[in-house]
Amino acid sequence: MSGHVLASLLPKQPLDLMRADQNWNAVATPDDWGRHVLDALGDHTGAVFEDPVRQELVWIIPPGGADAWPAAPPLGMTLYRAGDRLTVPRLDGDRGGTRWIHPPEADRLFTDADALRREVEAVVGPLDEAADLAPVRVCRFCATTTRDHVVVDAWESSNGLRRISWACQPCWRDTGGSAGHLLDTGKPR
């Protein structure tokens, strides 16, 4: 890993607004279904940090790695390309919970953008179709991703941080079925 890549990625403060550049880009997913992607990537993930305020996981990818990805607003994804700014923690920083899950290392800085897209699509479906579909949520009971969901709990703090819990229709109906699940849970659909 080159020193100039780390210098442009890592802030001097515990948490700072950094600009993606010619050395690195990033992909952010909602933290709930993003954890399924993180698990699926396993040892093949590069540097990843979590931002609990924005409720995101952020993968560091090679520059230009997501340039061909379609915009997918219903998924809550953000593609950070050269010139875009995002909040990044210092290696030893843990400010407001923002921290590195997998810190950048010499042999593990970038997540391969193609592998990341494959796993994202395995969890939420094709990115090319996302704009025409309902948002993806994670069921608080069975932890599967679903587009057919019901709000079961909503909470907002005095500082505006909001958390919503969802249930898939099968869990909501308590039938034990899996008709609304996007992940293969081993149950018949």
Side-chain angles (χ1 to χ4, degrees):
M1 169 174 38
S2 169
H4 70 279
V5 175
L6 278 181
S8 75
L9 171 63
L10 297 174
K12 293 178 177 41
Q13 307 298 325
L15 191 65
D16 206 352
L17 201 56
M18 303 300 286
R19 189 179 304 273
D21 59 20
Q22 73 279 2
N23 297 305
W24 61 275
N25 288 176
V27 173
T29 67
D31 59 0
D32 55 3
W33 63 258
R35 295 201 182 274
H36 288 293
V37 174
L38 185 63
D39 290 346
L41 283 167
D43 292 337
H44 299 289
T45 192
V48 180
F49 67 88
E50 67 177 328
D51 183 338
V53 173
R54 292 185 51 91
Q55 301 173 21
E56 292 179 330
L57 296 183
V58 181
W59 279 265
I60 306 304
I61 62 169
D67 284 354
W69 292 26
L75 294 177
M77 289 178 51
T78 305
L79 307 177
Y80 294 99
R81 297 178 173 108
D84 294 335
R85 296 172 66 125
L86 69 153
T87 305
V88 178
R90 190 169 61 191
L91 275 179
D92 62 347
D94 185 344
R95 184 73 171 220
T98 301
R99 66 179 183 86
W100 289 97
I101 298 172
H102 292 287
E105 298 175 1
D107 61 342
R108 196 164 85 174
L109 172 59
F110 297 122
T111 297
D112 177 85
D114 293 333
L116 179 58
R117 182 172 178 171
R118 264 191 313 277
E119 296 307 336
V120 164
E121 289 184 330
V123 170
V124 299
L127 295 180
D128 294 330
E129 299 171 11
D132 299 326
L133 302 172
V136 172
R137 305 292 186 218
V138 174
C139 177
R140 78 182 271 183
F141 302 107
C142 66
T144 58
T145 53
T146 181
R147 287 194 170 86
D148 189 14
H149 46 73
V150 176
V151 174
V152 293
D153 188 29
W155 175 84
E156 188 168 341
S157 72
S158 59
N159 69 359
L161 181 63
R162 186 170 189 204
R163 275 286 184 189
I164 299 173
S165 294
W166 310 89
C168 64
Q169 289 291 338
C171 286
W172 180 249
R173 289 188 308 267
D174 196 26
T175 63
S178 63
H181 297 163
L182 294 176
L183 287 179
D184 181 6
T185 59
K187 299 177 190 172
R189 291 185 178 233

